[in-house]
Amino acid sequence: MRLSGWGQQPEVETRILPWRNPEDAARLVRRHTRLIPRGNGRAYGDAALSAAAVLQGLAGNRILELDLSQGRLRCEAGLLLSDLLAVIIPRGWFVAATPGTRHVTLGGMLAADVHGKNHHRDGGFADSVTDCTVVIADGSTVTISPTCHPDLFHATCGGMGLTGVIVELSCRLSPLPTAGILQQTLVTDSLEATLDLFTQQGHWPYSVAWIDCLARGPRLGRSVLFLGRHATLEEVPPHRQNLQLSTPLRRERLAVPFHPPCWILNRWSLAAFNALYHAHGRRQGTEPVVVPLDGFFYPLDTLSHWNRLYGRRGFTQYQCVLPLEEARRGLRCLLDRTARAGLGSFLAVLKQLGPASGGMLSFPRSGYTLALDFPWTRAALDLLNELDVIVRDHGGRLYLAKDARMTAEMFQAGYPHLDQFREIKARVDPHNRFQSLQSARLGL
Amino acid sequence: MNPRPTLLVIGATSDIARAVAHAFAAGGHDLILTARDPRQLERDAADLHHRHGASVTCLALDLLADDTTLANFAAGLNPLPTVVFCAVGLLGDPPRSLDDPDTTRQVMMSNFVGPAQMLTLLARRYRDSGSGTLIGVSSVAGDRGRGSNFAYGSAKAGFSAFLSGLRNHLHPHGVRVMTVKPGFVSTRMTAGLSLPPALTATPTQAAQDIYRAFLRQRDEVYTLWMWRWIMLIIRLLPESLFKRLRL
């Protein structure tokens, strides 16, 4: 069947091999000489694609242990974050780090070492994982942790499934007082002001900025900055019963039922969207308000199949991180080049990241990460090659979970622990059994 | 009286059974799961408990075991579960049916003889207690014998007739019997077949249909719903025409 990532590009003809429990996964690994594990297919590019076979464990989704007094979870890797949240939020727990969608598997979250709006304070998802069980290339099953086979563990966290199939994992949860977020919205008029605010407001656990990336000149980098922390029970107004923990999460209410024509997202419609967004942020005022948790973390989850908005041609997300000391200059170059190209980016998100963790191929490192969406067109792909040069010159790197097109050189320049990863990969997978289109492209 | 209703799932390792267990547990049922090897159920038991707070027991049961074993199993259920869901089934290897009489026998035993025998034993206990619900998974394949799976279809036809007769027999005693007729469901049994997506249910969809039908006290449920009408048309075709079709 035809399969692609969330960005719908590239697409490949392949076979899906479903696994239902760890023994299943081990049997399939022994039986196939080339394959790549896949979670719920939310990586944007070709990280979970292979022309040979794709190993998908969505039925291997059991919660094996759940300690509600200590906040500890052990589960099979195919468990969806949305299913987990439905179980733990009513009982007063949350995950230590969440990506911008809850339609991901826990195994995928570990394989991509996803980060959330709290990375600058709490680190990425892999930091909350205490151990995991992996089926490696010879079909054997090993349980690894920061103390047991630490090198394989750090290669697996953020390792995009290239060391083996993650079949189970254990992680720490974080306590949750209510299903509300106390949100403060701030509007800025320039990139400088945005970055200054990030520094000043670093005590907020959650922070993210939406950038109007069509703004140019002095207004370059003008943003709406969202700051948040979990609301306490006293802060939740008594009439907002829906913010108490027992209320189920909101379901998807809207969907993009088909591919709209490609022209609906153009420079004018995007400019209008960004202007409205900015004005809306301004109207929010300076007082913090309590908002529902799912709207704060998962704004796009209410619109299912939103990836169809870019039409049949598909799209790609360009997410880079620039080190702290280079961020101001680097971001200015990136935004300036993007604004001049006028190709538009529906989403332009800026976040602060904390120090890198142990994952050899993990994306986060101290600095700022910028994410831009582009339609999959020749002009946009040419622009991305130019952005690559800027990112590389400023010592940055790109996120494997989003990437569908970077070169092996670009990758190598950004990931200093690559040789160490290759060494471990050669040891546990000498015949390169686990291979994706991405890993082949990047020479992993 | 036990304040929480209990569902007994016979053949709990099947994909439909697993999804049905989740649907009933979410609706407040405790669970008794059975399989030939109950160790296979430990993970599911933990999952059902953590997700829904259900209390879950795992038991060994092979429907092809001897009469005494089955009778002892039925007699040993104390307290009696309020609902029984029997999902045992075996597709066999339809293209090789003519060459493999052994498998044909296996298919008859697994889809008809074993389940009917077990449900009879449980039906007697329900009749004596004057309440209870028996749910049997038959198949649309039992609605008319087709060349592509005549052994499986005939066993399911037998099981459908058994369930409808049992329903009739137990009605005066306040015991309900529900027949489930799945069309295509994407499960291990159908892995490798190319099924039309519009007519194929996921195990979760099938389980929701089944649980809803249980709540509405239906006698018979097709899942997905359009299979009722597809099978009606298939049943109405004259045999002289039907025998020439490749279905």
Side-chain angles (χ1 to χ4, degrees):
Chain A
M1 64 176 297
R2 307 288 296 171
L3 195 66
S4 66
W6 184 242
Q8 303 177 308
Q9 284 290 353
E11 206 183 39
V12 67
E13 181 69 32
T14 186
R15 206 149 54 105
I16 295 186
L17 311 169
W19 59 268
R20 292 174 165 78
N21 53 47
E23 295 90 84
D24 246 12
R27 201 166 41 243
L28 288 167
V29 168
R30 273 183 230 116
R31 209 179 293 160
H32 292 82
T33 51
R34 185 128 304 169
L35 68 173
I36 188 72
R38 180 179 172 96
N40 201 30
R42 291 296 167 127
Y44 283 62
D46 51 1
L49 288 182
S50 159
V54 166
L55 201 60
Q56 193 165 34
L58 292 174
N61 63 350
R62 297 167 184 86
I63 296 177
L64 302 172
E65 287 165 34
L66 181 60
D67 180 343
L68 293 169
S69 58
Q70 305 280 322
R72 290 180 174 281
L73 166 78
R74 182 161 186 82
C75 65
E76 292 176 335
L79 177 64
L80 286 175
L81 178 59
S82 53
D83 284 354
L84 175 65
L85 293 180
V87 173
I88 62 172
I89 288 180
R91 303 184 199 180
W93 294 98
F94 197 59
V95 282
T98 174
T101 171
R102 51 193 141 101
H103 301 302
V104 291
T105 63
L106 277 276
M109 286 167 68
L110 179 59
D113 189 7
V114 297
H115 57 271
K117 298 174 169 64
N118 58 343
H119 189 276
H120 59 290
R121 272 183 41 137
D122 305 325
F125 179 68
D127 292 314
S128 71
V129 173
T130 48
D131 66 85
C132 65
T133 303
V134 181
V135 174
I136 56 175
D138 64 6
S140 64
T141 303
V142 288
T143 296
I144 54 180
S145 73
T147 50
C148 181
H149 301 294
D151 50 348
L152 183 55
F153 182 76
H154 294 305
T156 301
C157 297
M160 305 309 282
L162 296 169
T163 55
V165 190
I166 301 170
V167 288
E168 285 179 25
L169 62 93
S170 304
C171 66
R172 285 187 295 270
L173 304 172
S174 44
L176 186 70
T178 66
I181 293 286
L182 189 76
Q183 177 183 281
Q184 164 104 61
T185 311
L186 300 171
V187 176
T188 68
D189 283 316
S190 69
L191 179 64
E192 301 303 317
T194 308
L195 296 180
D196 288 343
L197 263 186
F198 264 115
T199 315
Q200 282 163 26
Q201 307 286 342
H203 55 280
W204 287 86
Y206 299 106
S207 58
V208 64
W210 286 49
I211 298 187
D212 175 358
C213 58
L214 297 175
R216 297 173 60 176
R219 291 190 306 168
L220 183 82
R222 72 168 185 167
S223 309
V224 183
L225 185 67
F226 298 98
L227 305 162
R229 65 167 168 77
H230 293 290
T232 62
L233 211 49
E234 296 77 49
E235 286 163 345
V236 172
H239 63 278
R240 299 292 296 278
Q241 299 237 328
N242 62 330
L243 297 181
Q244 280 158 24
L245 291 174
S246 52
T247 316
L249 287 178
R250 191 162 52 169
R251 296 251 164 236
E252 285 168 1
R253 277 185 233 150
L254 300 167
V256 181
F258 55 86
H259 289 99
C262 292
W263 50 260
I264 71 152
L265 290 185
N266 56 42
R267 134 183 350 217
W268 295 281
S269 66
L270 288 170
F273 173 83
N274 276 305
L276 281 171
Y277 207 86
H278 206 76
H280 179 70
R282 223 175 258 290
R283 266 203 311 278
Q284 294 268 304
T286 48
E287 279 304 299
V289 289
V290 177
V291 299
L293 171 153
D294 48 350
F296 182 81
F297 289 114
Y298 314 113
L300 285 169
D301 278 1
T302 41
L303 187 64
S304 65
H305 298 296
W306 66 262
N307 55 341
R308 289 178 178 159
L309 283 174
Y310 285 89
R312 285 196 187 282
R313 64 192 168 178
F315 73 110
T316 186
Q317 187 171 88
Y318 189 82
Q319 183 167 2
C320 61
V321 56
L322 298 178
L324 217 44
E325 54 283 5
E326 296 283 337
R328 275 171 203 264
R329 260 178 303 154
L331 287 172
R332 176 164 290 281
C333 292
L334 289 172
L335 290 172
D336 187 55
R337 186 68 200 87
T338 307
R340 272 192 291 131
L343 294 167
S345 173
F346 191 52
L347 254 184
V349 176
L350 183 68
K351 274 193 294 244
Q352 198 177 6
L353 295 180
S357 60
M360 293 170 196
L361 298 187
S362 286
F363 169 71
R365 54 162 300 167
S366 283
Y368 284 93
T369 173
L370 178 70
L372 305 161
D373 284 4
F374 292 99
W376 190 267
T377 59
R378 194 65 261 162
L381 293 173
D382 288 344
L383 171 67
L384 298 190
N385 289 332
E386 289 180 45
L387 299 186
D388 278 356
V389 176
I390 300 174
V391 169
R392 186 153 37 156
D393 288 350
H394 290 86
R397 62 185 177 212
L398 302 184
Y399 192 4
L400 290 175
K402 307 290 175 74
D403 163 64
R405 35 72 48 197
M406 78 166 127
T407 61
E409 294 72 43
M410 176 70 194
F411 175 62
Q412 187 139 18
Y415 286 84
H417 301 297
L418 181 55
D419 287 337
Q420 209 183 342
F421 178 86
R422 283 194 175 127
E423 198 184 300
I424 292 158
K425 165 93 171 153
R427 201 177 68 219
V428 295
D429 186 9
H431 302 294
N432 225 350
R433 206 174 263 246
F434 296 106
Q435 213 180 93
S436 62
L437 293 184
Q438 182 179 57
S439 78
R441 173 164 50 81
L442 300 179
L444 264 167
Chain B
M1 252 315 265
N2 189 343
R4 272 173 77 89
T6 305
L7 171 74
L8 167 67
V9 183
I10 301 174
T13 53
S14 94
D15 291 325
I16 293 181
R18 194 181 150 200
V20 164
H22 275 283
F24 276 75
H29 284 71
D30 284 335
L31 298 161
I32 304 169
L33 309 180
T34 79
R36 273 173 294 186
D37 178 3
R39 276 172 309 176
Q40 287 188 316
L41 298 171
E42 282 164 13
R43 287 171 170 267
D44 284 308
D47 187 39
L48 286 159
H49 172 68
H50 293 309
R51 284 193 198 218
H52 310 292
S55 119
V56 187
T57 316
C58 301
L59 299 175
L61 175 64
D62 180 358
L63 287 192
L64 304 186
D66 59 273
D67 300 353
T68 334
T69 311
L70 297 189
N72 287 343
F73 178 87
L77 288 171
N78 286 308
L80 199 56
T82 46
V83 188
V84 174
F85 181 77
C86 179
V88 175
L90 174 71
L91 185 58
D93 186 6
R96 296 194 55 245
S97 293
L98 282 184
D99 310 316
D100 193 359
D102 257 8
T103 305
T104 301
R105 185 173 167 283
Q106 282 277 324
V107 166
M108 301 293 174
M109 295 296 290
S110 305
N111 291 299
F112 180 41
V113 181
Q117 197 175 1
M118 192 69 228
L119 290 187
T120 304
L121 291 163
L122 293 165
R124 192 161 61 189
R125 293 203 58 190
Y126 276 170
R127 182 199 60 194
D128 295 345
S129 75
S131 70
T133 303
L134 295 164
I135 305 175
V137 178
S138 184
S139 169
V140 295
D143 281 9
R144 186 163 193 177
R146 287 177 296 132
S148 58
N149 57 14
F150 58 87
Y152 177 78
S154 66
K156 288 297 193 186
F159 192 48
S160 291
F162 168 81
L163 291 169
S164 102
L166 192 64
R167 177 161 46 242
N168 185 210
H169 184 78
L170 292 175
H171 181 70
H173 301 280
V175 179
R176 286 173 50 205
V177 178
M178 184 166 104
T179 310
V180 178
K181 293 184 176 175
F184 297 137
V185 186
S186 51
T187 63
R188 253 171 307 176
M189 190 194 262
T190 57
L193 305 179
S194 60
L195 305 175
L199 300 179
T200 306
T202 63
T204 306
Q205 278 176 316
Q208 276 158 0
D209 284 350
I210 291 165
Y211 187 61
R212 206 176 310 122
F214 164 77
L215 290 179
R216 293 180 184 170
Q217 312 211 352
R218 293 285 149 81
D219 296 320
E220 187 178 69
V221 58
Y222 284 83
T223 176
L224 298 168
W225 59 270
M226 68 286 272
W227 281 96
R228 176 184 298 278
W229 309 106
I230 295 171
M231 293 321 292
L232 178 68
I233 292 163
I234 290 181
R235 277 202 308 274
L236 289 175
L237 294 175
E239 193 68 19
S240 56
L241 170 66
F242 188 77
K243 71 178 179 192
R244 292 168 213 278
L245 300 178
R246 295 178 64 87
L247 285 168

